[in-house]
Every structure is written in C-alpha cells, then in structure tokens.
Amino acid sequence: MEIDDIKIYEGRNIYSHRKCIKFIVDLKGYSDIPSKDISGFNEKIVNQIPELNLHKCCLDYPGGFCERLMEGTYIAHICEHVIIALQNILGLDVSYGKARKIEGEIYCVVFEYLYKQTGLACGRAAVELINSLIYKKPYNFEEDFCKIKSILKNEQIGASTEAIIHEAKKRNIPCLSLGSGSLFQLGYGKTSRIVEATITSNTSAISVDIACDKYVTKELLSRQCLPVSPGGIITSSIDLISKAERMGYPVVLKPRYGNQGKGVFVNIKNSEELLKIYDMLRAECEDIIIEKHVDGKDYRILIVDGKFMAASERIPPYVIGDGKSSIVKLIQVINSSSKRGEGHEKPLTKIKIDQKLIFEISKKGYNLDCVLRRGERLKLKENANLSTGGIAVDCTDIVAEENKDICVRCAKAIGLDVCGIDICCENIKKPIKNSGYILEVNAAPGIRMHHYPDKGKERNAAAAIVDMLFKNMKKSIPVISITGTNGKTTTTRLIGHILRTSGLKVGMTNTGGIYIDNKCIEKGDTTGYESATAVLLNRTIDAAVLECARGGIIRKGLAYDLADVGVITNITEDHLGMEGIESLEDLAQVKSLVVEAVKDDGYAIINADDPMSLTILDKIKSKIIMFSKDKENKNLRNNIISGGVGVYSDQGIIIIESNDICKPVVRVDAINITLKGKLIYNVENALAACAACVALNLDIKIIKRGLTTFFGDEEQNPGRFNIYHINNATVILDYGHNIEGYKAVINGAKQIRHKRFIGIIGVPGDRTNKSICEIGGIAGNNFDYIYIKEDKDRRGRKKAEVSEMLMQGALANGFDAKKINVILDEKEALKVAIDKSLPGDLIIIFFEKREPLLKIINDYKIKLECIAESYKVV
C-alpha cells in the first residue's frame, strides 16, 4: 500500500460533519485479496493492535470488525480501522472512517481526527504496519508509536483550554483555532472573543505584566493594605544573608519572573542551604526574590469577572511507604495512574524526578533508592503546584467571606478578569488578615484543579469564564451560506446589500473577492475555506454572507460550524466528471452540505421549482423556507401547509406566506436587476435573497429597500449581466459558463430590443465534451452571428480543442459556418465584435476575465467622447 495524496478537512465536509483526513492509496495488487488469504495477517494485526477487538464495524457490536477480518475483508477497510484504533489507544475519542474504491487499485481512506499531526502520523503508521505484515518486512511499531505520543503531547491543547472550548460549544458558540497552540477564537465577527488558556481578549496586557512580576505585585498589594509576606529583591550573596537574618529563618527563594512554581524553594532553614539554592537559581535566572516562609496550607482561589468562583487546597506530591519499594518505585506507581499525564494533558501531572526533588528529599536524609517503612509518608516537594505533581482538594464552600473579599480586592488591584490567587494560611475557614499571606497572583491560572479535584466537588470554572466573555451579548453573528449551480454570486451580493441596508457591517465572499463593509480586501474567486475563514475571523463585522462553491466544499469542506441560513439556488449540470462528481445526484450530495450544516432553529432555503434541489429535503434538519415563481407550486404549498414559510411571485408581486397570512414585499418590476421582470433568473435570485432575509427576521420594509436599491452594474453586481452602450450597439458582459447559465442569460437578453444578436462564446475546458457541444448548439439556435474564443486557462485541454467542439455544436443545428468567426483571445474577439457592430446590435460576451474586457469598453467610451468633442470644436 502506498499513499499517493493526502487531503485534510478542518470542518464539516462531504464525508462527515467531523474533521477528517483523506488518504488516496494505491493497493499495489492487493485490492482484491481478502485478509484471510494473506498468511498470518489477521492474527498479527490483532495481536499488534488489541484495540481492534472492540471495533463494531457494520455488525454493530464489539468484536464485529474482527469477525469481518476472519471472514476476509480488504486492506483499505483494515487500514481505516487501524488508524482509528491507534488514535483510540492515545485516548482520543474518534470513531468515523470509511474506505471506498476510486478506480483500479486506487482507494480513498477517510478517517476522523482530533489533532491533525497526530492523525497524519497514525495514518502513516497504519500503512507502514500493514505493509510490514503483508511483505514480512521488519518495522519497529513500538518506536514509531512512541514518536506519535510525542507528537500528540506537543499538539494537544491543555485541560484549561479544552474545558473552555467545551463550554463554548455547549452554548453553540463556534470555536476557531488560531495557529497550532491553545489560542482560539470563540464566535465569529464582532461578537467573537479570543482565549489562550484562561487569558482572554478582555485581559489587560499591563495587568499580566504586573502579575508576572512578583516583586511589583507584592508592592502593589501591600499599598492596598492586602496581606503579603515580607520580602525583597536580592542584589548579592551578602544582601541575601543580610535579608534572611533580618526577617528570620525559614525563608523562601524564587525567581522574580516565573510561573507554575518553577524555581520556587520554600522552608529554607539556614544560611548554608540558602547559599546553595541561591547559586542554583542564579544559573537559571537573574532576578531573585527572598520572602519570609509561612507555615500553613497552600490554597488557590479563583476569581472570575470580579467574583469569587472556586477554591482548592493544593497538596504537594508525596509517597507512602510499603516497607519494600524504593522511593523511585513508589513515584513510578503514582505516575502510572490514568489521571496523570505530561504537562497539562490530564487532570493531574506526573511527578517529575528532577534536581529539585532529589534536593528536597536529601534534606530529609533520603535518596531515590531508599525504602520507606510501611505507612511512612514522605513529602517529595515543598511546592504544591499541580504542574509539579501536586493534587487539589476542593474547598470552595468553606472559604471565609472576609477571605473572598480580600481575593476580589486583590484581583481588582491587579486588574485581571481571570485571576488565580495563592494563599498560605492554617485554615481558609478563618480570616487570614493576621494569620496568612497572599503568596502570588496568577494571570493565567490553570482551572483543571477546579474541574477535576482529587477530592471534593467539581467546579465549572470554564462556564464562568465563557459566561463572562459573552455577558449581555449575542453568542455569535448571523452566518448565511449560499451555494447552487447558477445565481449564487448574485444572490450572495443581494443578501449582503440588504443586510448593509439594515445598518449592519457585512463580511462577504463571492467569485469577485472578499469584502468587509463593502470594501474589497482580496480580489479573485474567493468561494472556498480560506476566504470564508478570513471573514469569520474579522472582528469588526455584524454578519457573514458566504458563497460556497462546489470546488471549495470538495477541497476543504466548510469553514464555519453551523450557519443560521443555508441557501441552495438550484442544482443543474456543471462540473460533472470532475473530482468524482459523475452525476447530478453526486453534485446534489456535495451542495446539500450547505443546508445540512444549519442550526436547528435556523433555516434552509430551497428552490421549489428545481427538481434536483427537492431530492435533498430528507437531509435537512432545520426549518425550511421554499421559494418559487409559481404561487401554486405543489412543494411550496406543502411546505406552507406543514407550518413552513413560502416566498413566491404572484401577479408581479413578491409575497411572503406563512400561517395563512400573506405579506406583499415589492413589485418585481421595481427590482432593478430583473430589468422590469424580463430577467427571469434574477427574479429567482431575488426570491432566494428575500427568503434568506425573512429567515433572519428582517423587517419587510428593509427587504424591499434592499431589493430596489441593488443594481446589475459593475459596482454592485460586477460580471453579471452588466450592460454597456457603445457605438449605437449594446454590449453585455456575463460570467455564464454552463448550459443553464447560457440559456438563462440568452433568454433574458432576447427581451432587450435589438436588430442583430451576436454572441462571443467560450466554455471552461473542464466541462464534458457533451456539455461543450450542447452550449455550441444553444448558441447556434439563438445568435445571428457567433465569435468563438477560448479561456487562457484551458484546464487540461489542447489549444483550439474547446473552440472546435463549440463550432461542431453550432453547425450541428444548421448554423451558417460563414457567420462564425474563431478568435481564441477573448479581448481580441470583443474588439472585433465592437468594431464590426452595426447600430442596434446586441453583443453578449461570456467572459473568463472581466477586468481586461472592462478596460476595452472604457477605452472605447473615452475614444467616442473624444471624437464627439472634436466635432463640437469643428
């Protein structure tokens, strides 16, 4: 088996509504050989990956996959299960996978992942393992799997971040990863917030700087009459001894700047020990603080949004002897607990055997090989941080009110929205004013101790943080997603215009570019994942209107999680024979993702006049609005009768109907892009846009104003039936590039008064031969004269190959060959058509690139104006 290609889907996609990776694999002669016919394969794969025994497969019970394996299943299917099993062994909750034949020996293997690099590594390891068993080649699976564990360790988000993301998703707040770490955006657009662990977009940078400087924090709190332990900055060894003797032993040494208890040494009892630790610390940091050691218990108080949230007693790591095991063995037993992991990956952190631990136990007369008496308890570190192996016991309900008040004052003094305060005292039940001290203030406090205490009640700190971030505001901006074969760009622009008319700042993607508040920030065909992400990440917008083309959906899936409104304009023949899309049914499967990925209380907008769009109704879980040009459309009426909404045109008026109430919106002939109702396809686009705005609960007056102030010109709807008058002729620029697009534009143009009807035609090279010939036939049936041109990007076709098929299509319908002029360059074709035009001619060019043609038109206008001026002078 060989991996030929890899695709990564970071959002909902055509295979699953979960994140997936797709491997294109070549089975190298093993596509038709079942596993039972490969000597020893089944036994070895299950022995190597026992997790496979739990897989259900299609039999839907544990062990079902192994039954399939013994009966004889195929390599691609086995690969899918092995990849999922490897991730399960790592503790990752994934289950979706599928394997399908593409052609010959080529298969696609699709599998769910949580962490991209880990998923890729598991996929590659599965292929290597299968190959090693088939070809009986050596492969050190254990070594490779250890590397995968390291990849996961570096990639996995921490417990605090994970808890916050979980709480956001519970509230239907979408989450976008920003980079490869723990930086996430919660929500989209203007209402979004950013978190990195428990640092939020509301957290003051100055406050973080203060909290990170332990000396400045101490000074600031002291001036606020809050209890802090005596201490100061050390300038030299002499200064160190002097200050220690002045405040009295025991003392504490710690870095001025630091976190997670790193470099903190407590309970130092004499000058010899003090100097030794000081020399050790100086090798790692420049600024060192000395403080008076305080006996008592170590408590962490969490303050969120100026309110007391939770409290934990933190207990330093320790071991209890059994009379036979060494200290190092006792530590290993503790570290083997499923609750403990590396860093912040699990509720507790493994106890690290480092120089500090060895030093601490040596002060008590022990080394790692010593055997403790049965029941003897040995504290391994003085520091109680969870990151150094400590445990936490919840004590939220017993904290004295005065202590809560002190902690709230402390957080406000520093200016932190989320704040962890470390307190040392004998009993947190009693006021600490005269019996305890604030030791440190943490700007990014870990919250796993509150979510997963070793003892006591769990406290949902993440919920408090998310609620603070979205207090008194919407959880996210409205997202409107539009797809279809024809009309999606105009519909997208029209929806965006109506929303702007309502006063919203709109982020929009379409085939012309990315727009923020009606300003183009990126030109091009921006209808895919990256362009949609650019809009969703923009923190100034009030709404996102996203055109989602077939290609973008296939390549990377959807950039958003769930839309408020999903629109399908229609599903007709286009792009067939590409990327596995062989039929209209395949195309419908791709397009349907847009209406599947809609919130339960959102709306799917469906064209009741389009037969193929109606085939996907069973995939829709949200509410439905149907639109139609026919008031009596059966599907429209059924939707209204069943409690849905209908938008239709009746006697030249757009009507909204629901619950036996009909509301007129606007006369069709008042909608500029319909050319007084003559452009039927723009009537359909207006209906779709109106339905989307109804779904957003916009006022009818705003919808009417938006529909009547949108023009089909190069400013508001560039490239879509833009009309220019040159030399007493009319020129129309349009992006029609498929059969239905040609039909719609030609039928609309025929409504414009003209003498000769001239077409400049071309088709993208990735259409089927049949489609290209049919478009040639459409041209032959409608135009009086035809110019045939070709796109610069021939998309795999030879030069003049497309133009030859277009000519054949036109001639097949009896068109006069003398009335066809082949000019492959579309700019040159337009120039010739204009130069040879007669008064009253109507010229349509179905373009590839609009801007060069627009320059030609403008040049003609300037030239004509100059000629007119010269006549005036004469």
Side-chain angles (χ1 to χ4, degrees):
M1 182 186 298
E2 186 175 282
I3 303 170
D4 288 344
D5 190 30
I6 296 173
K7 283 189 177 180
I8 298 168
Y9 302 93
E10 299 187 14
R12 296 172 189 263
N13 55 80
I14 59 174
Y15 299 102
S16 172
H17 283 229
R18 307 172 188 178
K19 298 193 296 184
C20 290
I21 293 173
K22 179 171 76 173
F23 281 4
I24 303 296
V25 296
D26 186 338
L27 298 188
K28 299 289 184 180
Y30 276 84
S31 62
D32 295 323
I33 301 177
S35 56
K36 65 183 180 63
D37 292 344
I38 304 172
S39 177
F41 180 89
N42 287 348
E43 294 75 13
K44 289 176 182 177
I45 195 79
V46 175
N47 184 57
Q48 187 72 70
I49 314 290
E51 182 78 14
L52 293 172
N53 286 300
L54 303 177
H55 282 209
K56 299 178 180 180
C57 199
C58 58
L59 300 181
D60 205 28
Y61 53 80
F65 171 71
C66 283
E67 284 188 28
R68 291 282 311 277
L69 198 63
M70 299 311 165
E71 290 169 0
T73 190
Y74 296 93
I75 299 303
H77 180 219
I78 295 168
C79 184
E80 159 212 330
H81 276 272
V82 172
I83 297 169
I84 292 168
L86 293 179
Q87 293 184 84
N88 294 156
I89 293 168
L90 292 167
L92 303 177
D93 184 17
V94 299
S95 59
Y96 174 78
K98 68 183 294 184
R100 292 290 183 271
K101 183 175 183 177
I102 298 176
E103 61 178 353
E105 296 285 318
I106 308 300
Y107 276 69
C108 77
V109 176
V110 181
F111 56 92
E112 182 185 356
Y113 73 94
L114 294 183
Y115 295 99
K116 180 165 58 178
Q117 298 304 325
T118 303
L120 287 169
C122 286
R124 293 187 178 105
V127 171
E128 287 291 330
L129 177 61
I130 290 169
N131 284 340
S132 72
L133 298 181
I134 290 174
Y135 299 110
K136 297 180 173 55
K137 291 183 177 180
Y139 168 55
N140 193 331
F141 171 75
E142 287 73 19
E143 180 182 323
D144 210 5
F145 196 64
C146 284
K147 292 178 183 176
I148 295 173
K149 287 181 180 178
S150 298
I151 292 170
L152 177 60
K153 179 184 173 183
N154 292 327
E155 194 177 19
Q156 195 167 19
I157 61 174
S160 296
T161 305
E162 188 174 38
I164 291 171
I165 298 301
H166 176 70
E167 284 301 318
K169 289 181 177 179
K170 275 172 61 176
R171 290 157 174 74
N172 295 318
I173 299 171
C175 303
L176 288 172
S177 175
L178 306 177
S180 57
S182 292
L183 195 63
F184 282 82
Q185 178 174 300
L186 311 183
Y188 303 139
K190 187 175 284 185
T191 62
S192 66
R193 296 292 182 264
I194 293 176
V195 297
E196 186 172 25
T198 57
I199 289 182
T200 79
S201 48
N202 294 346
T203 305
S204 162
I206 291 176
S207 299
V208 172
D209 285 345
I210 292 171
C212 289
D213 187 329
K214 293 178 173 61
Y215 180 71
V216 171
T217 297
K218 183 187 293 289
E219 288 288 295
L220 183 58
L221 297 183
S222 178
R223 291 180 182 182
Q224 292 287 315
C225 304
L226 290 163
V228 293
S229 58
I233 298 173
I234 303 301
T235 58
S236 66
S237 299
I238 295 173
D239 183 46
L240 172 71
I241 298 301
S242 173
K243 283 187 168 114
E245 290 180 349
R246 192 161 56 246
M247 68 179 63
Y249 291 97
V251 295
V252 175
L253 277 189
K254 61 185 178 183
R256 179 177 179 177
Y257 309 99
N259 56 22
Q260 297 181 351
K262 294 172 184 174
V264 178
F265 290 85
V266 302
N267 201 20
I268 304 169
K269 296 178 179 176
N270 54 61
S271 58
E272 180 182 355
E273 186 181 331
L274 182 64
L275 286 168
K276 187 174 181 181
I277 293 171
Y278 179 61
D279 289 339
M280 191 188 306
L281 265 179
R282 275 199 307 175
E284 299 176 2
C285 56
E286 293 182 6
D287 297 322
I288 299 170
I289 294 176
I290 188 170
E291 290 179 349
K292 174 67 179 173
H293 174 78
V294 182
D295 284 322
K297 296 177 181 178
D298 188 322
Y299 294 97
R300 164 63 64 83
I301 311 297
L302 180 68
I303 305 296
V304 177
D305 196 23
K307 301 179 185 68
F308 170 79
M309 170 60 207
S312 295
E313 180 189 348
R314 300 187 301 176
I315 300 170
Y318 62 90
V319 291
I320 297 176
D322 60 4
K324 55 183 179 180
S325 300
S326 65
I327 292 172
V328 69
K329 177 63 177 175
L330 293 172
I331 293 173
Q332 289 170 352
V333 171
I334 291 173
N335 283 344
S336 67
S337 167
S338 60
K339 286 186 176 182
R340 291 189 183 263
E342 302 291 341
H344 292 258
E345 66 175 345
K346 291 189 177 180
L348 296 174
T349 300
K350 290 182 178 181
I351 301 168
K352 188 176 181 181
I353 299 175
D354 54 14
Q355 186 179 5
K356 187 174 180 181
L357 183 146
I358 294 169
F359 179 78
E360 291 291 350
I361 64 173
S362 70
K363 291 194 300 181
K364 301 178 178 70
Y366 295 96
N367 61 51
L368 292 172
D369 295 323
C370 291
V371 175
L372 300 179
R373 299 187 305 276
R374 178 176 292 278
E376 181 182 359
R377 177 171 169 151
L378 174 65
K379 188 192 294 185
L380 300 172
K381 293 184 179 180
E382 294 291 337
N383 190 301
N385 288 61
L386 263 68
S387 58
T388 61
I391 61 172
V393 175
D394 178 70
C395 58
T396 301
D397 295 332
I398 65 170
V399 179
E401 290 299 320
E402 184 176 326
N403 294 339
K404 293 179 185 178
D405 181 61
I406 285 172
C407 291
V408 168
R409 285 174 53 208
C410 174
K412 290 180 177 179
I414 304 298
L416 290 168
D417 59 334
V418 181
C419 180
I421 301 166
D422 295 340
I423 289 176
C424 184
C425 64
E426 285 300 323
N427 193 338
I428 200 70
K429 293 180 181 180
K430 298 178 181 179
I432 66 167
K433 185 69 176 177
N434 300 312
S435 61
Y437 295 102
I438 296 171
L439 300 179
E440 287 188 15
V441 177
N442 300 272
I447 56 175
R448 58 178 174 152
M449 70 180 75
H450 306 298
H451 281 258
Y452 310 106
D454 196 60
K455 294 178 183 176
K457 187 177 178 181
E458 296 177 4
R459 307 291 173 170
N460 198 337
I465 293 171
V466 174
D467 290 341
M468 172 195 69
L469 288 172
F470 292 90
K471 182 171 58 178
N472 301 323
M473 66 183 297
K474 293 179 180 178
K475 300 296 190 291
S476 191
I477 62 171
V479 174
I480 304 93
S481 180
I482 303 96
T483 194
T485 304
N486 294 303
K488 57 185 179 293
T489 298
T490 297
T491 302
T492 298
R493 289 169 174 164
L494 188 48
I495 293 169
H497 175 75
I498 297 170
L499 291 175
R500 284 195 303 275
T501 301
S502 74
L504 299 182
K505 183 177 284 189
V506 176
M508 179 174 67
T509 65
N510 58 53
T511 53
I514 303 172
Y515 292 80
I516 302 297
D517 199 24
N518 214 27
K519 293 179 181 177
C520 184
I521 64 169
E522 181 74 19
K523 287 186 176 181
D525 187 351
T526 55
T527 55
Y529 184 94
E530 287 78 11
S531 53
T533 300
V535 167
L536 299 172
L537 290 176
N538 188 289
R539 301 185 67 207
T540 68
I541 63 169
D542 301 304
V545 184
L546 310 173
E547 180 180 344
C548 296
R550 169 209 57 87
I553 295 172
I554 290 174
R555 282 190 292 274
K556 293 201 73 173
L558 301 178
Y560 57 87
D561 182 34
L562 292 171
D564 297 84
V565 182
V567 181
I568 295 184
T569 58
N570 48 59
I571 303 171
T572 60
E573 183 177 331
D574 198 12
H575 299 286
L576 299 186
M578 297 167 55
E579 298 176 296
I581 307 301
E582 302 297 336
S583 65
L584 267 180
E585 288 72 20
D586 292 340
L587 188 60
Q589 176 71 20
V590 173
K591 302 282 187 184
S592 69
L593 181 61
V594 165
V595 288
E596 290 178 55
V598 173
K599 296 174 183 175
D600 290 344
D601 61 348
Y603 283 90
I605 312 300
I606 295 294
N607 186 345
D609 298 332
D610 181 52
M612 190 50 65
S613 295
L614 297 170
T615 65
I616 62 173
L617 290 177
D618 61 336
K619 296 177 178 290
I620 299 171
K621 306 302 180 195
S622 65
K623 295 179 281 187
I624 296 174
I625 297 178
M626 286 193 178
F627 66 93
S628 172
K629 301 187 300 297
D630 177 11
K631 173 185 178 180
E632 301 302 329
N633 179 289
K634 181 180 68 174
N635 298 292
L636 176 90
R637 301 254 53 98
N638 287 340
N639 188 57
I640 294 171
I641 291 168
S642 61
V645 180
V647 177
Y648 54 82
S649 60
D650 181 35
Q651 298 182 16
I653 299 173
I654 290 182
I655 306 290
I656 302 166
E657 182 179 346
S658 64
N659 299 320
D660 296 324
I661 298 173
C662 295
K663 298 178 182 178
V665 180
V666 63
R667 291 193 62 82
V668 170
D669 59 14
I671 302 172
N672 291 290
I673 60 168
T674 70
L675 295 185
K676 296 190 180 299
K678 294 175 182 177
L679 287 186
I680 301 302
Y681 65 90
N682 269 347
V683 174
E684 294 172 337
N685 294 334
L687 288 167
C690 179
C693 293
V694 169
L696 293 171
N697 201 29
L698 287 186
D699 187 271
I700 288 179
K701 291 179 181 178
I702 291 172
I703 298 173
K704 177 180 179 179
R705 191 185 315 143
L707 289 172
T708 56
T709 56
F710 185 77
F711 293 86
D713 55 24
E714 62 188 62
E715 182 180 340
Q716 289 187 304
N717 200 20
R720 301 302 185 273
F721 213 87
N722 299 154
I723 302 174
Y724 306 90
H725 299 289
I726 302 169
N727 228 7
N728 294 317
T730 301
V731 177
I732 298 175
L733 266 60
D734 196 275
Y735 186 60
H737 55 280
N738 56 47
I739 293 169
E740 292 304 319
Y742 263 74
K743 287 179 180 178
V745 171
I746 289 171
N747 288 336
K750 280 183 174 182
Q751 307 305 311
I752 299 173
R753 187 177 298 173
H754 61 274
K755 290 183 178 178
R756 291 195 308 164
F757 197 16
I758 298 166
I760 306 173
I761 67 171
V763 186
D766 53 10
R767 281 16 179 205
T768 63
N769 293 357
K770 181 183 175 184
S771 293
I772 296 172
C773 288
E774 187 170 341
I775 286 173
I778 293 168
N781 284 335
N782 288 280
F783 292 120
D784 299 309
Y785 197 93
I786 298 172
Y787 293 90
I788 298 178
K789 52 90 177 180
E790 277 194 344
D791 291 354
K792 288 285 186 186
D793 180 3
R794 294 196 293 271
R795 306 191 188 188
R797 297 282 188 176
K798 295 176 183 177
K799 187 176 181 179
E801 185 180 353
V802 170
S803 62
E804 180 61 32
M805 282 189 281
L806 286 170
M807 179 177 282
Q808 289 173 6
L811 295 176
N813 287 353
F815 195 78
D816 187 350
K818 294 177 182 178
K819 294 183 179 181
I820 297 177
N821 189 355
V822 178
I823 303 175
L824 297 185
D825 182 86
E826 73 177 7
K827 298 191 298 294
E828 188 61 30
L830 179 60
K831 287 179 182 178
V832 172
I834 293 173
D835 287 339
K836 292 190 175 185
S837 66
L838 301 173
D841 279 356
L842 176 59
I843 303 168
I844 297 181
I845 178 166
F846 295 92
F847 64 82
E848 177 191 20
K849 299 289 185 183
R850 185 180 68 91
E851 285 78 6
L853 304 183
L854 196 57
K855 184 179 184 306
I856 290 170
I857 289 170
N858 289 331
D859 286 346
Y860 270 99
K861 284 183 175 181
I862 293 168
K863 179 180 177 182
L864 291 170
E865 287 171 4
C866 290
I867 292 171
E869 283 298 318
S870 68
Y871 279 120
K872 286 180 184 178
V873 172
V874 172

